[in-house]
């Protein structure tokens, strides 16, 4: 996983701090020297998932098997947040600090929500047909509404592919519709409220207001798509 700081939050207008994970370690701004390592102390998990506050560039997060950790000083010091564990994906909203995290807990996959500076996670796992043995593969927060969240789901359970909440997880709507019964790896929303998902057989798109998905190949072969980015970013950054 990797991320950079926000262009509009640094004095010269250029994002110049880069973070990435390698095995158990987190690196900041370099590749070869141990002086660049800002790893969570005593971490035994691999491939942490990184996140950053959109309003405080030095407040960063990482999700590991044992916990989600937060640093207020760009990785110099870390502290575990509550008891949410086994986090495969992590998303930070564009406000003071709404965090959504998916974790593989004792009772299976669960989805959690946290409001900064609290360390208490709320379980907002979707109901059936979501199955807590399935992996939540991606979390997409609407940049204009932190309560509006989408998740994509792996596995081969029919009709359990994409779910949406408009009230921060209190209730959920199933948007799987006609998606094929293949794993969904990622999800992205555009400025017009259309949705893209990356699957094991390519990209699918749901236009705004539609109750079905269409194959969005444009000569892309039927290959696994694990990440989707829209460029330039369609939303304002502040």
């Amino acid at each position: 996983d990797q991320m950079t700081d926000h262009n509009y939050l640094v004095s010269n207008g250029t994002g110049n701090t880069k973070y990435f994970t390698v095995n158990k370690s987190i690196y900041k701004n370099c590749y070869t020297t141990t002086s660049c390592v800002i790893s969570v102390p005593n971490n035994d998990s691999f491939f942490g998932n990184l996140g950053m506050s959109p309003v405080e560039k030095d407040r960063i997060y990482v999700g590991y098997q044992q916990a989600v950790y937060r640093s207020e000083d760009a990785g110099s010091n870390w502290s575990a947040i509550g008891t949410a564990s086994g986090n495969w994906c992590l998303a930070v909203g564009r406000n003071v600090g709404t965090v959504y995290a998916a974790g593989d807990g004792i009772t299976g996959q669960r989805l959690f929500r946290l409001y900064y500076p609290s360390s208490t996670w709320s379980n907002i796992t979707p109901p059936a047909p979501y199955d807590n043995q399935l992996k939540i593969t991606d979390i997409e927060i609407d940049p204009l509404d932190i309560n509006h969240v989408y998740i994509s789901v792996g596995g081969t359970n029919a009709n359990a592919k994409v779910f949406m909440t408009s009230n921060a997880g209190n209730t959920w709507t199933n948007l799987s519709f006609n998606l094929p019964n293949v794993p969904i790896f990622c999800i992205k929303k555009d400025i017009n409220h259309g949705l893209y998902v990356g699957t094991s057989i390519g990209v699918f798109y749901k236009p705004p207001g539609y109750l079905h998905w269409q194959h969005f190949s444009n000569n892309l072969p039927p290959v696994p798509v694990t990440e989707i980015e829209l460029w330039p970013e369609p939303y304002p950054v502040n």
Side-chain angles (χ1 to χ4, degrees):
D1 200 13
Q2 60 182 351
M3 66 181 180
T4 61
D5 61 11
H6 307 292
N7 293 352
Y8 66 98
L9 289 179
V10 290
S11 59
N12 63 359
T14 302
N16 56 4
T17 302
K18 302 172 179 64
Y19 305 86
F20 62 95
T21 58
V22 177
N23 296 328
K24 297 179 182 180
S25 299
I26 306 173
Y27 289 80
K28 178 180 176 181
N29 281 346
C30 73
Y31 292 84
T32 58
T33 67
T34 56
S35 63
C36 302
V37 175
I38 57 168
S39 301
V40 173
N42 303 315
N43 171 55
D44 290 325
S45 299
F46 285 82
F47 308 121
N49 293 282
L50 296 168
M52 179 182 291
S53 166
V55 294
E56 296 288 347
K57 68 182 181 66
D58 290 337
R59 183 185 304 142
I60 60 176
Y61 300 82
V62 62
Y64 279 120
Q65 183 65 32
Q66 64 267 30
V68 175
Y69 293 85
R70 179 173 60 217
S71 172
E72 300 283 3
D73 49 18
S76 297
N77 296 279
W78 294 93
S79 58
I81 310 173
T83 58
S85 62
N87 289 279
W88 295 100
C89 54
L90 183 70
V92 184
R94 288 182 183 236
N95 71 335
V96 174
T98 303
V99 182
Y100 295 89
D104 189 9
I106 297 174
T107 59
Q109 275 277 316
R110 295 171 294 171
L111 184 66
F112 298 94
R113 181 195 64 227
L114 176 141
Y115 295 124
Y116 179 88
S118 171
S119 294
T120 301
W121 295 92
S122 298
N123 187 342
I124 57 168
T125 306
Y130 173 75
D131 183 331
N132 65 7
Q133 298 306 307
L134 297 172
K135 180 179 177 181
I136 297 172
T137 54
D138 197 14
I139 304 169
E140 170 79 346
I141 305 174
D142 189 325
L144 303 181
D145 183 355
I146 59 170
N147 297 314
H148 207 145
V149 181
Y150 303 84
I151 63 169
S152 60
V153 180
T156 54
N157 284 25
N159 198 39
K161 305 299 176 184
V162 174
F163 296 87
M164 178 272 291
T165 177
S166 59
N167 52 24
N170 294 317
T171 58
W172 290 88
T173 301
N174 188 351
L175 300 182
S176 301
F177 301 133
N178 63 316
L179 280 171
N181 192 10
V182 297
I184 312 297
F185 298 127
C186 57
I187 185 164
K188 195 73 174 179
K189 179 178 181 288
D190 66 24
I191 194 170
N192 296 314
H193 307 290
L195 289 175
Y196 299 84
V197 292
T199 79
S200 60
I201 57 173
V203 176
F204 287 78
Y205 174 69
K206 189 185 82 64
Y210 280 51
L211 302 182
H212 67 267
W213 297 81
Q214 58 196 44
H215 198 209
F216 192 80
S217 61
N218 288 349
N219 298 318
L220 179 73
V223 297
V225 176
T226 58
E227 183 174 0
I228 296 173
E229 296 293 338
L230 302 179
W231 187 259
E233 283 287 343
Y235 292 98
V237 295
N238 53 14

